[in-house]
Amino acid sequence: MDGDATLALVGSGRTSILAHPAPKGGGCPSHLSESGLDVAALASRCISVSQLVIDPFAGSGNTLYWLLRTLPDARTVAFENDPLVYELSSRNLALLDLPLRLECTDFSAGLEHVRAAPDELVLAFVAPPWGHALDSRVGLDLARTEPPIVDIVESFVSDFEGNQMLFAIQVHERMEPKSLAGLVSRFDAYELMVYGLHHAGQNDGILMGSLGWTPRARRTPASRLSHLMCARLAWKTGSPLGP
Ligand SMILES: C[S@@+](CC[C@H](N)C(=O)[O-])C[C@H]1O[C@@H](n2cnc3c(N)ncnc32)[C@H](O)[C@@H]1O
């Protein structure tokens, strides 16, 4: 299938498996295409020679699709615990012939069988169900996603102790401050990027956190700024997010 083709539109009733528009050339960006570029740019600054991408909540595989477009040489493993979603996504992903292994299992059970080489960067894309974690008044409570984001990070830490890690966490433009501060304090360094693709208050973003390494601060290229609503940089342990 053409690399720019979108995933087939299918629905399970339990999770939305949607085809995100695939920007061609100057086409309209989605937060997935944008975040794929930002995550890959950050991963490329790690000294680990190769990458092991793990998506513990694969859903449709859309995120993986965008990540693998920018990290084509990464080894990739993904987990999905809903058999119907797994079945539909497996069929779609097979059409794209991507170099990934999708398993139908709970992510924590799946992680126990994954081994990383010592020189591999473990790159986790973390997008669990938000459940009731998103409140219109306070924003996304990262401690109330299902499971809480910090618990997911700790699962990776216990399974890949010794590896350099990069977490790319799907977040919302507005987040409950205490849960955000608690999460970022766990990282050696972190960066928050919110993509201004929708009306204010309705935008998604990516919180990237590193463990075992600290990237040097970078300047975001001008070509990327037009899609970015905000980029908060904080490459120091425990430093609070700026305004
Ligand atoms: C928000 S969706 C992920 C969206 C995904 N990034 C995509 O591109 O479509 C979360 C997915 O995680 C699955 N899930 C929920 N809990 C899980 C668990 N403990 N282990 C593995 N998958 C889980 C859900 O069935 C759902 O498909």
Side-chain angles (χ1 to χ4, degrees):
M1 182 179 272
D2 180 297
D4 278 337
T6 55
L7 294 176
L9 179 63
V10 290
S12 73
R14 276 177 266 183
T15 190
S16 298
I17 300 186
L18 297 173
H20 289 271
K24 292 185 184 185
C28 184
S30 72
H31 76 272
L32 290 181
S33 59
E34 294 302 295
S35 56
L37 290 171
D38 286 321
V39 173
L42 192 52
S44 70
R45 303 207 328 263
C46 180
I47 57 161
S48 289
V49 291
S50 54
Q51 294 117 5
L52 168 60
V53 172
I54 303 179
D55 187 341
F57 305 93
S60 66
N62 255 323
T63 312
L64 273 179
Y65 169 74
W66 286 108
L67 264 183
L68 292 183
R69 277 173 63 112
T70 46
L71 295 169
D73 298 325
R75 203 159 67 89
T76 306
V77 187
F79 305 112
E80 170 55 54
N81 72 350
D82 183 319
L84 184 53
V85 175
Y86 166 80
E87 189 58 40
L88 293 168
S89 298
S90 295
R91 259 189 262 160
N92 281 340
L93 291 167
L95 297 172
L96 297 170
D97 199 22
L98 296 173
L100 69 87
R101 191 173 91 224
L102 177 62
E103 296 179 13
C104 187
T105 182
D106 182 90
F107 83 95
S108 52
L111 281 182
E112 285 177 18
H113 305 292
V114 181
R115 297 282 168 269
D119 57 357
E120 265 183 326
L121 169 72
V122 174
L123 197 171
F125 191 91
V126 181
W130 285 357
H132 299 291
L134 182 60
D135 178 279
S136 57
R137 206 171 37 84
V138 290
L140 179 66
D141 188 337
L142 300 162
R144 292 182 63 208
T145 58
E146 297 172 359
I149 303 284
V150 170
D151 294 357
I152 301 164
V153 170
E154 294 308 337
S155 293
F156 275 83
V157 170
S158 68
D159 284 318
F160 299 103
E161 203 186 348
N163 278 89
Q164 296 185 310
M165 285 185 246
L166 175 61
F167 293 89
I169 300 160
Q170 188 164 10
V171 295
H172 192 258
E173 180 183 332
R174 293 174 53 234
M175 285 173 278
E176 194 282 316
K178 248 172 96 176
S179 68
L180 178 58
L183 177 62
V184 299
S185 70
R186 190 66 186 83
F187 297 129
D188 293 336
Y190 60 92
E191 180 168 353
L192 173 64
M193 321 217 60
V194 173
Y195 304 98
L197 303 174
H198 303 290
H199 294 300
Q202 294 173 16
N203 287 293
D204 288 314
I206 288 288
L207 175 67
M208 292 180 280
S210 70
L211 270 176
W213 63 294
T214 300
R216 284 191 310 270
R218 65 172 170 161
R219 190 183 292 274
T220 305
S223 59
R224 313 264 316 110
L225 283 176
S226 57
H227 303 317
L228 268 182
M229 203 170 86
C230 88
R232 297 177 189 172
L233 306 176
W235 290 120
K236 274 192 236 124
T237 307
S239 62
L241 286 171

